[in-house]
Amino acid sequence: MWITAATDPFGNRGELISRLYGMVGGTVDGHARLCAAAWLLDESELAVWLLRESLSRLRAPGVRGNSGATLSALQWACIDTGRWDEPLLACREATDLAAAYKMEAVAASASLATATVLAMRGVHDQVRPLVTSVLATIDAAEYRGFAARAWRAAGIAALAEGRYLTGYAQLSQLFGADGAPLHHRVSYLGIADLAAAAVRAERYLERGGWWNARWPGWTPRLARGWISLPPAPGVWSPSPRTPSLTSPRPCPTRLATPGR
């Protein structure tokens, strides 16, 4: 389950989800990898519940050093469901854990999750240092998921500041010129943000060809119309208004994830 969810979450998704719920019903301890599989399959509410259960066990004396991956998955699952205070708490715990056990990947994930929440809340000045630090620490060619999350956080922050060309340039790095994703899953989470940036920066014609090839029906007119629509309940609007610093913005993950 874990291997398939991690390598091809959009393949036989219906079959995987059926197996996932069957395994959840038959498990007692909520294994960490099963929790992460739920998150990767975009069953975010289930993932949050399972990850919380798993984390409560991993916080026990003698096993705390094993909770890094679970904390990282919980951060992103909470962001996917608009729970923005909880991932920040998990990020602080993960940062302390990473320092104690020298877990660079856990620390990088915590920094990127924090940057993403701050970008969505409009705290722009704190986003860039976090992203820069992560990109200076990791090998972007090897850790493509981290690189994709870094570019997305930086792009969202730039868009919220009204720096549309910068935001477009950063979000464009989620995909190659031929439309190939930088990361097979994370890149797709930024499609809605990239579409908003393309229209705001008037660069939608540059991307129109490969967008239409991958998602038939895409046109510049459709993009402009999507930008001008009033937000539906619970859906983030990419209008250039200043984001609230206290009210969370629902994450557009489900708009952008293939198969949803």
Side-chain angles (χ1 to χ4, degrees):
M1 168 62 72
W2 161 249
I3 293 174
T4 305
T7 58
D8 187 20
F10 309 126
N12 296 322
R13 188 172 181 279
E15 179 183 342
L16 285 174
I17 290 177
S18 178
R19 287 175 54 199
L20 171 68
Y21 279 92
M23 294 173 72
V24 169
T27 188
V28 176
D29 58 1
H31 194 277
R33 289 186 177 179
L34 184 63
C35 303
W39 163 56
L40 291 175
L41 291 171
D42 206 21
E43 293 297 306
S44 301
E45 291 290 348
L46 174 64
V48 169
W49 178 74
L50 288 173
L51 287 163
R52 285 171 177 166
E53 291 291 314
S54 180
L55 192 57
S56 67
R57 294 172 174 81
L58 291 172
R59 285 184 175 126
V63 295
R64 183 170 178 264
N66 297 322
S67 63
T70 302
L71 280 166
S72 295
L74 179 62
Q75 294 157 20
W76 296 111
C78 286
I79 290 173
D80 288 349
T81 55
R83 295 175 170 91
W84 290 0
D85 291 328
E86 187 173 351
L88 292 181
L89 292 174
C91 286
R92 286 193 282 272
E93 183 178 350
T95 300
D96 291 342
L97 188 73
Y101 293 91
K102 298 182 179 179
M103 300 175 176
E104 292 185 359
V106 172
S109 181
S111 293
L112 290 175
T114 300
T116 301
V117 172
L118 293 176
M120 290 179 171
R121 281 184 165 171
V123 190
H124 316 128
D125 58 329
Q126 297 180 34
V127 173
R128 201 169 305 146
L130 288 168
V131 170
T132 300
S133 175
V134 170
L135 290 176
T137 302
I138 67 167
D139 181 347
E142 181 178 358
Y143 293 94
R144 293 189 176 189
F146 286 172
R149 290 196 184 279
W151 294 127
R152 185 181 177 219
I156 292 172
L159 285 182
E161 288 180 293
R163 297 185 295 115
Y164 302 130
L165 284 172
T166 299
Y168 173 78
Q170 291 167 332
L171 288 163
S172 289
Q173 296 187 71
L174 295 174
F175 296 90
D178 61 351
L182 174 63
H183 185 268
H184 71 278
R185 178 181 183 275
V186 178
S187 289
Y188 292 106
L189 303 181
I191 289 176
D193 301 305
L194 179 55
V199 174
R200 293 298 184 193
E202 299 185 350
R203 292 293 186 271
Y204 39 80
L205 289 176
E206 296 177 9
R207 292 281 170 171
W210 69 256
W211 253 334
N212 197 50
R214 298 181 71 86
W215 300 286
W218 167 269
T219 63
R221 179 178 295 178
L222 176 62
R224 290 194 299 269
W226 179 77
I227 289 294
S228 65
L229 287 174
V235 177
W236 170 65
S237 168
S239 63
R241 64 179 181 273
T242 302
S244 167
L245 298 183
T246 55
S247 300
R249 183 187 72 182
C251 178
T253 299
R254 293 188 180 275
L255 291 178
T257 304
R260 295 298 295 178

